[in-house]
Amino acid sequence: MVVLNAIGAFFKKIWNWIKDTAWIQPLLIVGLIFGIIFAIPSIVKGITKLNDDLNSSEAYYTKFQKTLVGGSKSDADQITNAIENEEVGQYGDKFFLVYVSSDCSSCVEAKEGFQVLSDGWNSKYSPKNAGEKFAMYTIFTDEVTDQTTSSKSAFVQYLDRHIYFFEQAAANAFESDYYRNGKLSDADLTAMSEASTDFLTPTILLIDNTDSNPSGNIVSEVMFGVPGDKSSNKADLLLDCWNHEGDFAIE
């Protein structure tokens, strides 16, 4: 405590000296102004890079988008209905369904993994069951459509229509090995089960309607984001998800 008081007294003396020394104050102001000026290019560069990353991520996910346009008859609703009815043939028996938004930094990080995985599919990254094709579909949670109102976005209306779907997906996730391995939080899964308006992005569902699905649940895996230091690490994790291996299996 004595040491802290001494340090505090030292800085107080410096502050009092600055206040009482008229000539030093303009120098400090000028130094502060130049510091801000020199920092501006770095700040602008950082903002520009973030904006470029977001735009690149949005463009990538748009290629796989199932739109909310059309309300209950939208492409997003049709694929969700197909999953609920376990009649996904037209979309493929196995695919990722990813909920993203256009201003989501975690979606940018996940995109790196998806892109590396899809680009290296059947070469560097191979499905456990030969012949399976990589497939992914996306739904934007911030898409604005004619159905959007002042009180409810198009996505919130979609959530209202499919509350049971998210309840069941969360219930499946609570039973998954990924959850048992400590990779999912109770709070995130509870929010998902409630189809909360604070919907996490990216939310990643692995839809698996194949005979090799160990759980038997068509929504077989759930992830919130794709952790990993490198894009290759993210791709490895997504492949483990696809194959129900690694963190997605109890050894």
Side-chain angles (χ1 to χ4, degrees), residues 30-221:
V30 171
L32 178 61
I33 292 172
F34 274 100
I36 294 172
I37 291 172
F38 288 128
I40 286 174
S42 296
I43 295 171
V44 171
K45 185 177 179 180
I47 293 173
T48 300
K49 183 181 184 304
L50 176 60
N51 187 57
D52 289 345
D53 288 344
L54 288 172
N55 289 338
S56 173
S57 171
E58 182 178 2
Y60 177 78
Y61 288 125
T62 298
K63 293 188 294 185
F64 308 95
Q65 183 181 8
K66 292 298 180 183
T67 180
L68 292 163
V69 173
S72 61
K73 296 181 180 180
S74 69
D75 291 345
D77 279 77
Q78 289 181 34
I79 192 172
T80 308
N81 290 334
I83 297 168
E84 289 178 316
N85 296 326
E86 299 189 11
E87 297 175 351
V88 293
Q90 70 182 93
Y91 305 102
D93 288 330
K94 196 171 186 179
F95 54 87
F96 287 110
L97 179 62
V98 188
Y99 294 86
V100 297
S101 61
S102 56
D103 60 350
C104 164
S105 59
S106 295
C107 298
V108 174
E109 296 172 5
K111 173 252 183 182
E112 296 173 0
F114 280 117
Q115 190 162 27
V116 169
L117 177 64
S118 59
D119 289 348
W121 194 256
N122 280 326
S123 55
K124 184 177 180 180
Y125 302 98
S126 299
K128 182 169 62 176
N129 299 315
E132 290 182 344
K133 296 180 180 179
F134 176 84
M136 179 173 75
Y137 304 98
T138 61
I139 295 174
F140 278 78
T141 63
D142 56 351
E143 182 182 7
V144 177
T145 76
D146 291 342
Q147 285 75 40
T148 301
T149 68
S150 59
S151 59
K152 283 192 175 183
S153 69
F155 183 69
V156 169
Q157 294 174 58
Y158 164 87
L159 291 177
D160 291 343
R161 292 192 295 270
H162 297 285
I163 180 65
Y164 177 74
F165 173 76
F166 292 102
E167 288 177 353
Q168 192 57 54
N172 294 350
F174 273 119
E175 297 175 355
S176 70
D177 289 341
Y178 196 59
Y179 172 78
R180 294 189 182 103
N181 281 323
K183 305 300 181 179
L184 296 171
S185 76
D186 289 0
D188 288 346
L189 289 178
T190 298
M192 181 183 183
S193 71
E194 296 171 350
S196 168
T197 53
D198 296 325
F199 198 87
L200 289 175
T201 56
T203 290
I204 302 164
L205 310 181
L206 178 66
I207 309 306
D208 189 347
N209 199 36
T210 67
D211 293 336
S212 59
N213 180 354
S215 70
N217 298 320
I218 191 167
V219 181
S220 58
E221 306 288 359

